[in-house]
């Protein structure tokens, strides 16, 4: 990623004692805050406040039947969640799901993006085609796949049986092991295009003359990919991976539609929702939701340090 | 232009009074099988009679998800729904948000219903819902297939497994690759709680939590029962059942792909419907016993109608409930869709018994159905979830019933300390 | 040697195409089957039955559901782009104290698990009087699309050549002029891409829609499909569900096709090669 630092900010780079800011800098800083205000207000309203409320509920014994009558109970709810083996089962499930599916999505997304980046007839059609899975609501794709995975009438069993890959019809959505495979398959199918799209956007920003230079140096396509393309793609790829990872960690709907609702096949978000709305324990539910939030935040922080993702582009 | 406006004004004043009288009510009923259709017919008949309009709110099929939806609606204090259909295990969970129906229903009306259900719907002296139909688990079987292979309807679960095996082997040889032995509700949701409670009770293994509030789930009989069914999964019970709700089971059975099915009475009208491939070939009986010294049992299900306390038309809503739970409407629902009435006298109605012979034959099953442990009050949902998750784990081969039920026992003892729920 | 490469390449394209389109194809095929033929695994329907498509609209107010989804998604996209454009300019092109912190915050909000704000959002929606009304979904969906839009637009903004901005500053342009006159024309493709992504995520949103709308006339498409109980009690509504799925997907495919050119032609950011 090239980083255009505005020339106005020279002082930050030189590290010299700051001169009094010029009128221009003052004007631009003021403009920045004015520009940011509407977004900040919107975010405070739809994100900050609800999150704060959830954190508050996490320290109470709030119950859905009567939200007004909640008592402050300190760390009770949190303790309950941490001591619940079911919670850890869902943590494990979610992480496994996130790693496996994001890894596969990145790999496939790269392959698809590189193919789409080549010039061939019908490229536009294929590009649109690739987007189809992503254009379908998750609930719908989950139901479509549920139908394909159906144990008795499913096309997947029929095809696999014909090919001799399996010798009896499998219950894809019922067995915990298989349903994990099913959920990953749906998620990968659905989100690979998103990865491909983001990678493709980055690919098309790469200057063509670099490849010319690599060609002159006698680098083959594979070498030029690893030595030229990949390093240049690192930034956008990281952004894409972070986004997908965070998305995968808070997964809810694929599991909700496709699997049975036992804790053996439940993501963290499902655990929290079950506690909130099926057991009506807003307190415990909020505690687990806050934990999920904390896990994701921690994960992001570690990831950004390790991946050295630049926030400001400087 | 002026003329038009004047005309409009006149028309408006003319229409206004009738508009003021016609109210719109919203009712949430069920969505399994033809529930929604049958409910709609009843509600529209009432609407026509009283000059109001009724709208249906669609709900998920899974009772647990329905509960979540209603809880959200009521917690939001929403007036968008007036009449809500509630499960027999919900009154303790929802009493706060329903109006007391006692002022609208005289004792003479309530006396006609099964008293235990009326009692079940009364929380702290407040009558929060009126019985609408009752349910118990039944065993459906393919009479034609059993006869063809010389099998009798099973009296014990062990016999069922045996008969299913015989029929399967013979039919598979004849080239039917899709046939399975036994389907039930095996997905980890409230339906599995109902199924597993039947298994345990049929083996004389108690009711998870007994009537004094003591946790009884971990006993040798219960372990034996759950292990027995875990042993069926993968041979006469297809693994796919572990993701079945009522409708998936019915679809498999109705398409002619299952020998036995455990389901509620509603399936009777559907499997014998005019488009059904198995119409006329189906027998229905009480669920088998858990071994020779076990007992035939069924989990008590059933649904009631209550009025939300946030309804803007409580009086009208109560009138709609009155209409829908009346003997005439309950009879119509029994004839059209085999919903069991909650009004005792209807069980002597010849027309009704002709359409649903099992209602007479299995009357005892319905009256003596085993209730789910609602003594656990607001914790019921958690108790049910912990229990069914343990059963589900056992069915999928994650551990043995002995260990899984022991874990549940520990959890439930934590939830209800010293039998206090 | 050359043609082996060519064949391999086309084979790869074929695999990609089949993999992405087969489930969709299968949904179309299933939606054209009724009754027992639905349970036969035939690669194409023996006779196309369109009854599922009409049944979708008669069984429930599906037309209304589609309209609801369109209204919500459009409103969310317009709001997110408007807010995101100015915010991303400030974050990408202006040095000021607290910028990194704000970017972190945006990233933070974009990773909010929906479930973590569900109970609080529930209260907010109630308080605004939006419960069981479309605005509830417009407001709540912003949490999904706004940070994402800001983040992606910021990434795009950084790529724009600084010479343009410097030239404009020399000409005495205010920041607002720079955003709307200089950058916006160049950002068309970026806006299209981001807008499309935001539209799709709003269109697909499930959990909020499941929680904040309950009446059939207010439901959006995903929830309507998830709760499809079918028009007839005598067959699984799989045919109906598939028909509904196809109907929902078509407008999105059309949308992608329309924006196709914009995305293709414009992703090469920067009008001036530095």
């Amino acid at each position: 990623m090239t980083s255009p630092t505005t020339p106005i900010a020279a002082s930050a780079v030189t590290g010299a004692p700051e001169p009094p800011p010029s009128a221009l800098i003052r004007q631009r800083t003021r403009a920045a805050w004015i520009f940011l205000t509407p977004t900040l207000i919107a975010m405070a309203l739809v994100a900050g406040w609800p999150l704060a409320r959830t954190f508050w509920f996490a320290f109470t014994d709030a119950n859905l039947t009567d939200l007004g009558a909640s008592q402050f109970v300190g760390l009770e709810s949190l303790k309950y969640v941490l001591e619940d083996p079911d919670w850890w089962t869902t943590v494990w499930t979610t992480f496994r799901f996130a790693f496996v599916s994001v890894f596969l999505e990145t790999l496939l997304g790269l392959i698809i993006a590189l193919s789409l980046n080549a010039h061939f007839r019908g490229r536009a059609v294929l590009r649109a085609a690739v987007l189809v899975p992503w254009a379908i609501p998750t609930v719908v794709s989950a139901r479509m796949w549920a139908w394909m995975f159906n144990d008795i009438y499913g096309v997947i069993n029929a095809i696999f049986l014909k090919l001799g890959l399996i010798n009896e019809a499998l219950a894809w959505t019922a067995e915990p092991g298989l349903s994990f495979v099913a959920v990953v398959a749906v998620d990968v199918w659905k989100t690979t295009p998103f990865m491909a799209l983001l990678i493709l956007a980055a690919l098309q920003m790469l200057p063509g003359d670099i490849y010319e230079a690599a060609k002159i140096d006698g680098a083959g396509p594979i070498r030029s990919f690893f030595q030229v393309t990949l390093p240049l793609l690192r930034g956008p790829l990281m952004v894409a991976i972070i986004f997908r990872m965070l998305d995968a960690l808070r997964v809810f709907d694929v599991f909700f539609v496709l699997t049975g609702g036992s804790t053996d096949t439940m993501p963290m978000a499902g655990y929290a929702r079950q506690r909130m709305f099926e057991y009506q324990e807003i307190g415990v539910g909020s505690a687990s939701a806050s934990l999920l939030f904390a896990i994701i935040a921690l994960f992001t922080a570690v990831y950004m340090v390790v991946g050295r993702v630049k926030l400001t582009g400087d | 232009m002026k003329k038009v406006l004047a005309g409009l004004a006149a028309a408006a004043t003319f229409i206004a009074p009738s508009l003021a009288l016609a109210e719109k009510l919203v009712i949430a009923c069920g969505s399994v099988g033809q529930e929604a259709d049958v409910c709609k017919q009843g509600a529209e008949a009432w609407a026509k009679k009283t000059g109001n309009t009724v709208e249906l709110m669609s709900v998920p099929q899974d009772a647990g998800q329905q509960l979540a939806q209603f809880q959200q609606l009521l917690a939001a204090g929403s007036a968008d729904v007036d009449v809500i259909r509630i499960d027999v295990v919900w009154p303790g969970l929802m009493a706060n948000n329903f109006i007391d129906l006692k002022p609208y229903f005289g004792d003479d009306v309530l006396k006609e219903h099964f008293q235990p259900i009326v009692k079940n719907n009364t929380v702290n002296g407040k009558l929060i819902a009126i019985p609408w139909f009752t349910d118990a688990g039944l065993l459906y079987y393919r009479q034609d297939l059993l006869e063809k292979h010389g099998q009798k309807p099973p009296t014990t679960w062990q016999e069922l497994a045996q008969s299913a095996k015989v029929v399967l082997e013979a039919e598979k040889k004849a080239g039917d690759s899709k046939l399975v032995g036994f389907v039930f509700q095996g997905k980890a949701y409230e339906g599995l709680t109902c199924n597993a409670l039947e298994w345990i009770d049929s083996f004389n293994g108690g009711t998870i939590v007994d009537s004094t509030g003591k946790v009884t789930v971990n006993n040798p009989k219960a372990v034996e029962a759950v292990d027995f069914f875990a042993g069926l999964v993968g041979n006469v019970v297809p693994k796919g059942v572990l993701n079945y709700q009522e409708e998936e089971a019915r679809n498999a059975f109705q398409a002619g792909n299952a020998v036995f099915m455990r389901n509620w009475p509603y399936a009777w009208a559907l499997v014998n419907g005019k488009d059904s491939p198995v119409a006329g070939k189906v027998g229905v009986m009480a669920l088998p016993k858990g071994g020779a010294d076990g007992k035939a049992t069924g989990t008590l299900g059933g649904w009631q109608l209550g009025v939300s306390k946030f309804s803007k038309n409580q009086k009208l809503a109560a009138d709609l409930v009155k209409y829908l739970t009346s003997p005439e409407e309950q009879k119509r629902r029994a004839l059209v869709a085999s919903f069991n009435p909650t009004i005792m006298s209807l069980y002597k109605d010849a027309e009704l018994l002709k359409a649903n012979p099992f209602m007479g034959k299995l009357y005892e099953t319905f009256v003596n159905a085993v209730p789910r442990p609602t003594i656990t009050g607001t914790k019921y949902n958690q108790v049910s979830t912990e229990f069914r998750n343990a059963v589900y784990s056992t069915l999928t081969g994650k551990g043995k019933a002995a260990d899984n039920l022991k874990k549940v026992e520990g959890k439930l003892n934590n939830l209800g300390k010293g039998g206090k729920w | 040697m050359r043609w082996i490469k060519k064949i391999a390449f086309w084979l790869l394209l074929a695999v990609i195409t089949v993999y992405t389109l087969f489930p969709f194809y299968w949904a179309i095929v299933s939606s054209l089957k009724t009754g027992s033929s639905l349970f036969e695994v035939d690669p194409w329907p023996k006779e196309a039955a369109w009854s599922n498509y009409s049944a979708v609209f008669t069984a429930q107010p599906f037309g209304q559901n589609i309209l609801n989804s369109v209204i919500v998604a459009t409103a969310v996209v317009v709001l997110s782009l408007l807010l995101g454009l100015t915010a991303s300019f400030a974050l990408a092109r202006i040095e000021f104290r607290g910028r990194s912190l704000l970017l972190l915050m945006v990233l933070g909000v974009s990773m909010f698990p929906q479930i973590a704000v569900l109970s609080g959002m529930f209260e907010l929606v109630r308080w605004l009087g939006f419960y069981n009304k479309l605005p509830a979904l417009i407001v709540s969906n912003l949490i999904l699309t706004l940070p994402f839009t800001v983040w992606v637009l910021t990434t795009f903004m950084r790529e724009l050549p600084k010479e343009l901005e410097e030239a404009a500053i020399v000409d005495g342009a205010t920041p607002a002029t720079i955003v709307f006159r200089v950058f916006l024309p160049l950002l068309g493709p970026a806006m299209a891409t981001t807008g499309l992504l935001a539209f799709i995520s709003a269109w697909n949103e499930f959990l909020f829609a499941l929680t904040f709308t309950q009446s059939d006339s207010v439901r959006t498409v995903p929830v309507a499909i998830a709760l499809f109980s079918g028009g007839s009690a005598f067959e699984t509504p799989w045919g109906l569900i598939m028909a509904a799925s196809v109907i929902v997907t078509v407008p999105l495919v059309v949308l992608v096709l329309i924006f196709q050119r914009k995305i293709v032609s414009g992703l090469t950011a920067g009008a001036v090669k530095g």
Side-chain angles (χ1 to χ4, degrees):
Chain A
M1 279 227 178
T2 49
S3 48
T5 38
T6 37
I8 305 110
S11 63
V13 181
T14 55
E18 287 192 35
S22 69
L24 181 60
I25 290 192
R26 273 209 307 274
Q27 182 214 1
R28 284 175 63 85
T29 309
R30 204 174 52 239
W33 285 106
I34 291 170
F35 280 172
L36 281 164
T37 304
T39 299
L40 291 179
I41 291 175
M43 286 217 196
L45 190 71
V46 303
W49 165 250
L51 187 72
R53 286 299 291 174
T54 302
F55 284 164
W56 162 246
F57 282 138
F59 294 100
T60 66
D61 62 355
N63 196 294
L64 192 64
T65 41
D66 191 0
L67 277 178
S70 50
Q71 298 282 324
F72 182 82
V73 293
L75 297 173
E76 277 297 308
S77 301
L78 212 59
K79 195 166 144 263
Y80 176 89
V81 176
L82 289 174
E83 285 172 356
D84 185 359
D86 288 347
W87 162 252
W88 294 107
T89 309
T90 61
V91 171
W92 168 234
T93 305
T94 314
F95 270 91
R96 239 177 1 148
F97 166 80
F99 279 116
V100 173
S101 59
V102 173
F103 173 75
L104 290 173
E105 278 153 29
T106 313
L107 202 68
L108 288 169
L110 256 175
I111 293 172
I112 292 178
L114 287 169
S115 316
L116 283 174
N117 202 28
H119 291 275
F120 59 90
R121 280 172 59 182
R123 184 166 75 142
V125 177
L126 186 62
R127 198 196 313 249
V130 162
L131 269 177
V132 167
W134 208 63
I136 300 179
T138 314
V139 176
V140 174
S141 53
R143 278 205 115 170
M144 263 165 46
W145 282 80
W147 172 230
M148 287 172 33
F149 276 129
N150 187 300
D151 56 322
I152 304 180
Y153 312 115
V155 64
I156 289 180
N157 272 341
I159 291 175
F160 282 10
L161 283 168
K162 266 224 164 56
L163 295 176
L165 292 171
I166 51 177
N167 47 21
E168 57 166 357
L170 295 175
W172 288 97
T173 53
E175 290 180 74
L178 283 175
S179 71
F180 181 78
V181 174
V183 169
V184 167
V186 177
D187 193 70
V188 168
W189 176 75
K190 189 181 151 49
T191 9
T192 299
F194 167 77
M195 278 303 231
L197 192 80
L198 284 188
I199 296 169
L200 184 63
L203 275 177
Q204 300 201 316
M205 284 189 182
L206 297 183
D209 40 21
I210 296 186
Y211 289 99
E212 296 302 320
K215 253 209 179 94
I216 291 164
D217 289 348
I222 295 186
R223 217 182 92 195
S224 80
F225 170 76
F226 280 107
Q227 295 197 332
V228 181
T229 315
L230 213 50
L232 284 173
L233 274 184
R234 215 195 62 179
L237 206 56
M238 268 303 177
V239 172
I241 288 178
I242 286 183
F243 266 107
R244 275 301 309 140
M245 205 72 197
L246 299 174
D247 234 8
L249 283 174
R250 57 191 178 187
V251 63
F252 170 72
D253 39 13
V254 183
F255 280 90
F256 183 78
V257 176
L258 210 60
T259 65
S262 101
T263 30
D264 296 345
T265 53
M266 199 185 258
M268 287 186 273
Y271 177 95
R273 181 184 175 272
Q274 184 179 49
R275 292 299 181 282
M276 282 185 207
F277 291 114
E278 288 177 39
Y279 298 175
Q280 303 154 70
E281 295 189 324
I282 293 281
V284 173
S286 299
S288 60
S290 307
L291 270 177
L292 169 59
F293 181 84
I295 289 175
I296 290 181
L298 190 75
F299 197 76
T300 319
V302 170
Y303 204 8
M304 290 203 305
V305 171
V306 173
R308 288 199 299 278
V309 175
K310 293 182 198 159
L311 272 178
T312 50
D314 297 339
Chain B
M1 191 69 211
K2 264 197 182 140
K3 258 188 192 160
V4 176
L5 281 179
L8 276 178
T13 51
F14 189 70
I15 297 167
S18 61
L19 274 182
L21 288 175
E23 297 285 357
K24 190 187 88 168
L25 286 188
V26 177
I27 177 170
C29 19
S31 63
V32 173
Q34 41 184 351
E35 279 181 336
D37 289 347
V38 180
C39 171
K40 199 173 178 155
Q41 292 153 7
E44 273 170 0
W46 174 84
K48 213 160 143 188
K49 202 181 81 174
T50 58
N52 297 293
T53 52
V54 178
E55 208 178 83
L56 247 64
M57 176 179 276
S58 52
V59 295
Q61 287 193 349
D62 170 343
Q65 297 307 329
Q66 275 180 44
L67 177 63
Q69 177 176 336
F70 297 148
Q71 295 288 28
Q72 290 160 29
L73 214 62
L74 295 167
S78 164
D80 291 314
V81 61
D82 302 285
V83 177
I84 299 179
R85 187 192 78 142
I86 63 172
D87 197 351
V88 67
V89 289
W90 294 353
L93 299 168
M94 308 180 80
N96 289 347
N97 291 320
F98 282 78
I99 66 166
D100 185 2
L101 287 167
K102 276 225 174 77
Y104 303 98
F105 287 80
D107 281 341
D108 54 320
V109 177
L110 294 176
K111 253 200 347 257
E112 298 178 340
H113 291 272
F114 286 123
Q115 286 313 294
I117 309 182
V118 175
K119 213 173 110 205
N120 175 68
N121 297 352
T122 309
V123 182
N124 304 333
K126 189 169 135 186
L127 178 66
I128 70 157
I130 307 299
W132 197 21
F133 62 96
T134 181
D135 259 339
L138 302 173
L139 182 73
Y140 293 77
Y141 58 93
R142 286 281 301 281
Q143 236 162 337
D144 56 328
L145 285 177
L146 292 191
E147 277 165 20
K148 182 174 159 189
H149 299 286
Q151 300 294 317
K152 280 200 195 64
T155 54
T156 66
W157 289 112
Q158 291 81 352
E159 280 172 25
L160 179 141
Q162 197 50 43
S163 293
K165 227 193 190 105
V166 172
V167 174
L168 276 190
E169 274 165 12
E171 289 292 320
K172 280 228 157 51
K173 271 206 189 83
D176 185 349
S177 63
K178 281 195 173 150
L179 194 70
V180 299
F182 176 45
V183 292
F184 54 90
Q185 291 74 47
K187 184 176 174 174
Y189 78 119
E190 187 63 26
L192 180 59
T193 301
C194 298
N195 277 254
L197 176 61
E198 282 158 356
W199 306 340
I200 292 179
D201 191 42
S202 75
F203 276 74
N204 294 323
T207 56
I208 309 167
V209 177
D210 73 12
S211 54
T212 63
K214 192 170 158 285
V215 178
T216 61
V217 68
N218 184 19
N219 65 69
K221 288 284 181 197
V223 169
E224 188 191 348
V226 177
D227 271 337
F228 173 80
F229 282 90
L232 297 187
V233 174
N235 48 62
V236 296
V237 171
K239 282 186 173 161
V241 163
L242 302 178
N243 211 11
Y244 280 14
Q245 294 181 190
E246 285 87 353
E247 286 290 85
E248 284 84 3
R250 177 176 71 85
N251 283 317
F253 186 79
Q254 196 167 311
N257 291 330
V259 187
F260 295 104
M261 163 176 79
R262 182 271 176 208
N263 216 325
W264 307 102
Y266 87 97
W268 175 254
L270 293 168
V271 297
N272 285 313
K274 62 179 190 318
D275 309 347
S276 166
V278 296
K281 304 174 182 170
V282 180
V284 59
M285 59 189 289
L287 289 166
K289 299 186 294 193
D293 49 3
K295 62 177 186 195
T297 182
T299 293
L300 175 69
W303 294 82
Q304 352 291 320
L305 289 174
V307 175
S308 156
K309 81 171 179 201
F310 303 106
S311 163
K312 295 212 166 56
N313 286 310
Q314 294 178 357
K315 196 160 174 270
L316 263 184
D319 192 57
L320 172 58
V321 171
K322 196 175 232 152
Y323 177 88
L324 290 175
T325 55
S326 67
E328 300 76 24
E329 174 66 5
Q330 287 208 8
K331 181 177 168 180
R332 184 190 73 84
R333 291 169 54 84
L335 293 179
V336 175
S338 59
F339 288 116
N340 277 50
T342 58
I343 291 170
M344 288 175 280
S345 58
L346 284 174
Y347 284 84
K348 299 188 179 68
D349 184 295
E351 193 186 355
L352 185 143
L353 293 181
K354 191 169 163 287
N356 304 294
F358 69 89
M359 288 190 190
K361 269 197 315 218
L362 302 178
Y363 182 77
E364 290 306 311
T365 306
F366 294 108
V367 178
N368 300 321
V370 55
R372 284 165 274 174
T374 44
I375 182 157
T376 53
T378 51
K379 300 259 176 67
Y380 171 75
N381 226 339
Q382 256 165 294
V383 171
S384 169
T385 310
E386 297 293 2
F387 168 68
R388 69 168 166 259
N389 278 341
V391 172
Y392 186 84
S393 294
T394 318
L395 293 179
T396 59
K398 244 183 89 177
K400 279 264 171 263
D403 307 333
N404 289 336
L405 291 185
K406 192 167 182 252
K407 271 185 215 150
V408 179
E409 183 183 38
K411 280 184 174 169
L412 298 194
N413 279 330
N414 270 340
L415 279 174
K417 292 225 165 43
K420 285 199 178 48
W421 294 90
Chain C
M1 198 60 224
R2 241 210 135 121
W3 56 265
I4 289 183
K5 257 193 193 156
K6 250 208 160 100
I7 287 177
F9 180 69
W10 283 105
L11 209 63
L12 177 70
L13 291 184
V15 169
I16 291 172
T17 316
V18 169
Y19 165 70
T20 50
L21 293 185
F22 179 77
F24 190 53
Y25 166 78
W26 194 245
I28 295 176
V29 169
S30 303
S31 73
L32 294 173
K33 293 177 176 174
T34 55
S36 55
S37 68
L38 195 60
F39 302 122
E40 306 297 325
V41 185
D42 290 323
W44 44 83
K46 287 195 184 69
E47 47 191 297
W50 296 97
S51 57
N52 281 328
Y53 284 87
S54 50
V56 164
F57 290 95
T58 51
Q60 58 173 45
F62 199 66
Q64 178 74 47
N65 298 145
I66 293 178
L67 187 67
N68 292 343
S69 274
V70 171
I71 292 171
V72 170
T74 311
V76 168
V77 167
V78 170
L79 272 173
S80 310
L81 284 181
L82 272 179
L83 293 169
L85 179 67
T86 52
S88 62
F89 174 80
L91 291 171
R93 318 288 305 192
I94 303 178
E95 285 279 340
F96 59 90
R97 216 180 284 263
R99 181 165 77 146
S100 304
L101 192 69
L102 278 179
L103 269 162
L104 260 176
M105 211 183 71
V106 170
L107 186 67
V109 173
S110 74
M111 50 160 242
F112 274 21
Q114 272 182 287
I115 196 86
V117 293
L118 199 61
S119 43
M121 193 76 89
F122 193 80
E123 284 189 312
L124 177 77
V125 163
R126 247 175 74 186
W127 176 71
L128 292 169
F130 288 165
Y131 189 77
N132 206 10
K133 296 185 179 70
L134 288 183
L137 299 185
I138 296 171
V139 169
S140 54
N141 276 335
L142 274 182
I143 195 179
L144 299 177
T145 57
L146 185 57
F148 169 81
T149 311
V150 172
W151 182 265
V152 176
L153 279 180
T154 303
T155 317
F156 275 118
M157 282 264 191
R158 281 204 200 119
E159 302 298 324
L160 295 176
K162 59 172 181 273
E163 291 79 2
L164 275 176
E165 200 177 355
E166 282 167 7
I169 290 175
V170 171
D171 290 344
T174 60
T177 315
I178 295 174
V179 173
F180 292 105
R181 288 290 170 77
V182 182
F183 280 179
L184 192 55
L186 295 177
L187 280 172
M191 298 279 274
T193 312
T194 336
L196 191 69
L197 298 183
F199 187 93
I200 290 177
S201 72
W203 178 273
N204 293 353
E205 199 286 321
F206 181 63
L207 187 55
F208 290 149
L210 186 73
T211 313
F212 302 141
T213 59
Q214 307 293 358
S215 304
D216 294 11
S217 54
V218 194
R219 288 229 192 266
T220 52
V221 165
V223 185
I225 288 182
L227 298 182
F228 234 99
S229 50
S232 134
F234 295 106
E235 51 179 73
T236 357
W238 280 115
L240 280 183
I241 294 167
M242 292 303 133
S245 310
V246 173
I247 294 169
V248 175
T249 312
V250 167
L252 282 165
V253 173
V254 171
L255 207 69
V256 172
L257 283 173
I258 293 172
F259 278 87
Q260 189 62 20
R261 259 169 218 283
K262 258 213 143 104
I263 297 171
V264 174
S265 67
L267 282 180
T268 39
V272 184
K273 274 265 189 306

